[in-house]
């Protein structure tokens, strides 16, 4: 009886190989042949699952995004319930910054992908911005609910603030990757902003 192949597992194995290559050499240096070698597979097998490098790179981005959301959910599950809007967004900020191996890999691939998509039509054609758009809508909904619950001032523009939180997390994350500041320093900046946003007492 022929051995049954777990195609999802094999796709995941290929994507993980791409992330390892990207982390070591940069996303710009990734090739299908290099990913195949890292995965211990033939190039033809990699191309069976992913027709092109842009398709593989986008699949990697989606997988890393999913894993990031799973870690975010795990953070939320450890918090006292009901989870406040402040705690919810603080957990998002903690996960969004590159403070460990998995979050660093996600931020590195996401940032590199964004830069390459600016000049690569094939990458730009992938639905790249839908992930950030979903997250921005989610944060907007949380902030609006916080206003309804009296946790956030009514005059805050929830959609603008959600966009600012995403922009801050991306910018601070990049500053950590390039060595401008430590992960701890970036976290302190985000906490300071959230303290002011929610009108909480300043940390001593």
């Amino acid at each position: 009886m022929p051995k049954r192949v777990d195609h999802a597992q094999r796709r995941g194995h290929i994507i993980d190989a791409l992330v390892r290559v990207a982390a070591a050499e940069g996303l710009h240096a990734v090739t299908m042949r290099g990913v195949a070698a890292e995965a211990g597979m033939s190039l033809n097998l990699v191309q069976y699952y992913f027709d092109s490098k842009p398709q593989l790179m986008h699949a990697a981005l989606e997988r890393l995004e999913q894993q990031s959301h799973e870690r975010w959910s795990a953070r939320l599950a450890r918090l006292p319930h009901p989870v406040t809007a402040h705690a919810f967004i603080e957990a998002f900020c903690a996960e969004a910054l590159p403070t460990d191996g998995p979050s660093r890999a996600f931020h590195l691939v996401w940032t590199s992908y964004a830069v390459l998509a600016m000049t690569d039509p094939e990458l730009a054609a992938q639905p790249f911005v839908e992930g950030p758009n979903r997250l921005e809508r989610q944060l907007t909904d949380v902030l609006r609910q916080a206003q309804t619950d009296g946790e956030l001032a009514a005059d805050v523009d929830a959609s603008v603030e959600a966009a600012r939180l995403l922009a801050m997390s991306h910018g601070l994350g990049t500053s950590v990757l390039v060595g401008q500041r430590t992960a701890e320093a970036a976290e302190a900046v985000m906490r300071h902003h959230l303290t002011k946003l929610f009108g909480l007492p300043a940390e001593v």
Side-chain angles (χ1 to χ4, degrees):
M1 187 174 181
K3 183 179 178 181
R4 189 170 183 175
V5 175
D6 187 330
H7 293 290
Q9 184 180 51
R10 187 168 283 176
R11 284 173 60 90
H13 181 70
I14 294 169
I15 290 171
D16 290 343
L18 177 145
V19 173
R20 290 194 298 273
V21 174
E25 304 175 25
L27 195 60
H28 65 283
V30 169
T31 64
M32 297 287 275
R33 192 174 299 279
V35 171
E38 178 67 26
M41 298 178 175
S42 69
L43 177 60
N44 286 342
L45 187 56
V46 171
Q47 291 173 328
Y48 171 81
Y49 288 99
F50 300 99
D51 293 334
S52 64
K53 177 181 170 181
Q55 186 185 77
L56 172 56
M57 291 169 68
H58 190 262
L61 194 64
E62 289 185 323
R63 179 174 168 87
L64 288 171
E65 180 183 343
Q66 178 186 3
Q67 292 171 342
S68 178
H69 276 274
E70 289 170 355
R71 291 192 300 273
W72 183 13
S73 296
R75 289 178 186 269
L76 293 172
R78 294 192 294 268
L79 296 175
H81 282 67
V83 178
T84 64
H86 175 261
F88 184 95
I89 294 177
E90 192 171 49
F92 154 73
C93 293
E95 178 55 41
L97 295 174
T99 56
D100 57 18
S103 58
R104 183 179 178 85
F106 172 57
H107 201 98
L108 178 64
V109 172
W110 195 96
T111 304
S112 299
Y113 193 109
V115 172
L116 291 174
M118 294 178 191
T119 55
D120 189 323
E122 285 189 272
L123 283 182
Q126 300 287 336
F128 171 56
V129 298
E130 185 48 37
N133 284 343
R134 281 194 302 269
L135 188 52
E136 190 172 315
R137 289 192 295 268
Q138 185 179 9
L139 292 175
T140 299
D141 289 343
V142 169
L143 291 170
R144 284 176 177 160
Q145 185 60 49
Q147 289 176 313
T148 299
D149 296 340
E151 191 181 347
L152 184 66
D155 61 352
V156 171
D157 188 320
S159 61
V160 170
E161 187 55 47
R164 179 158 57 174
L165 285 167
L166 276 183
M168 284 183 66
S169 67
H170 289 319
L172 286 171
T174 300
S175 75
V176 173
L177 288 181
V178 301
Q180 180 188 6
R181 58 174 51 85
T182 64
E184 292 76 16
E187 288 176 322
V189 172
M190 291 300 296
R191 284 197 304 271
H192 176 76
H193 176 70
L194 292 180
T195 295
K196 294 187 66 176
L197 174 62
F198 285 92
L200 300 174
E203 296 183 8
V204 178

